[in-house]
Amino acid sequence: MFDLSLYILGGVFVLFILASLSRWAIAVRGLTQEATEEYQTRCAEKPASVRGVSQDEFVRLFVTSFQPRWTLYAAAAAATAIVVSPAALLAVPALYDVIWRANGAPDWGGRTGYVFMFSLFFGVVFIWAALAAFIARLHHLRAPEPFNHALARARGEPIEDTGWRPRPKWARKIKIDTTDTETDS
C-alpha cells in the first residue's frame, strides 16, 4: 500500500518544513539586527520612545511583533500531516469498508474501483485540511500584540482598548445594537 509516491510526497513535505524553518531563522536573524539598529537610533533621536526599556527587551518585542510566525505554523501543519498520514491511510479505507458493507457491498464499489480511490484521496485530503484549519486557528488566536502597544506597555504606559484584543468569552454572544435611538418624528 505504501509505494514510492508516498515516500516522495513525504520527502516534499520534509523539504517544505526545512524551507519554512530556514525562512523563519533567516528572518529572525535579520529582524534582530534591525531591532538593534532601531534601538540605537531611537536612543539617539527619540529617547522618550524607549525610556525604561532595555535593548534586550526592545529586541524581543520587535522580533515577536514582526517575525514571520506563519512559517512556524506552516511547518507544524506539514509535520502534523506527515505524522497523521499513516493513521489516515488506515482509517479512511476502514471507514470506507464499513460504509460499503452497510450499503450491501455492491460490485462497483469495491477496493479496486474509482469510488474507493476517490474516497481514499479526498478522505486523506480532508484530514489534512482539518489539521491545517486547526493550526491556522491557533495562528490567529495566538497573534502577538502590535509593536507600538507592546513598546508602550513595556514603558509602563496605560494602553487604551483599541480593539485589537478579542472580545471576552462572555461578550461574544452579545450583539451590539447599531441603530440610532433618536428618530426624527
Side-chain angles (χ1 to χ4, degrees), residues 88-109:
L89 287 171
L90 295 173
V92 170
L95 181 64
Y96 179 83
D97 281 344
V98 168
I99 294 171
W100 179 59
R101 292 184 197 288
N103 286 325
D107 292 336
W108 55 265

Side-chain angles (χ1 to χ4, degrees), residues 86-143:
L89 287 171
L90 295 173
V92 170
L95 181 64
Y96 179 83
D97 281 344
V98 168
I99 294 171
W100 179 59
R101 292 184 197 288
N103 286 325
D107 292 336
W108 55 265
R111 279 193 166 237
T112 59
Y114 288 122
V115 175
F116 173 74
M117 288 185 270
F118 178 87
S119 300
L120 179 62
F121 176 78
F122 285 106
V124 172
V125 169
F126 175 78
I127 291 171
W128 288 351
L131 290 170
F134 175 74
I135 291 175
R137 178 77 176 144
L138 288 178
H139 176 267
H140 292 294
L141 286 176
R142 298 176 50 136

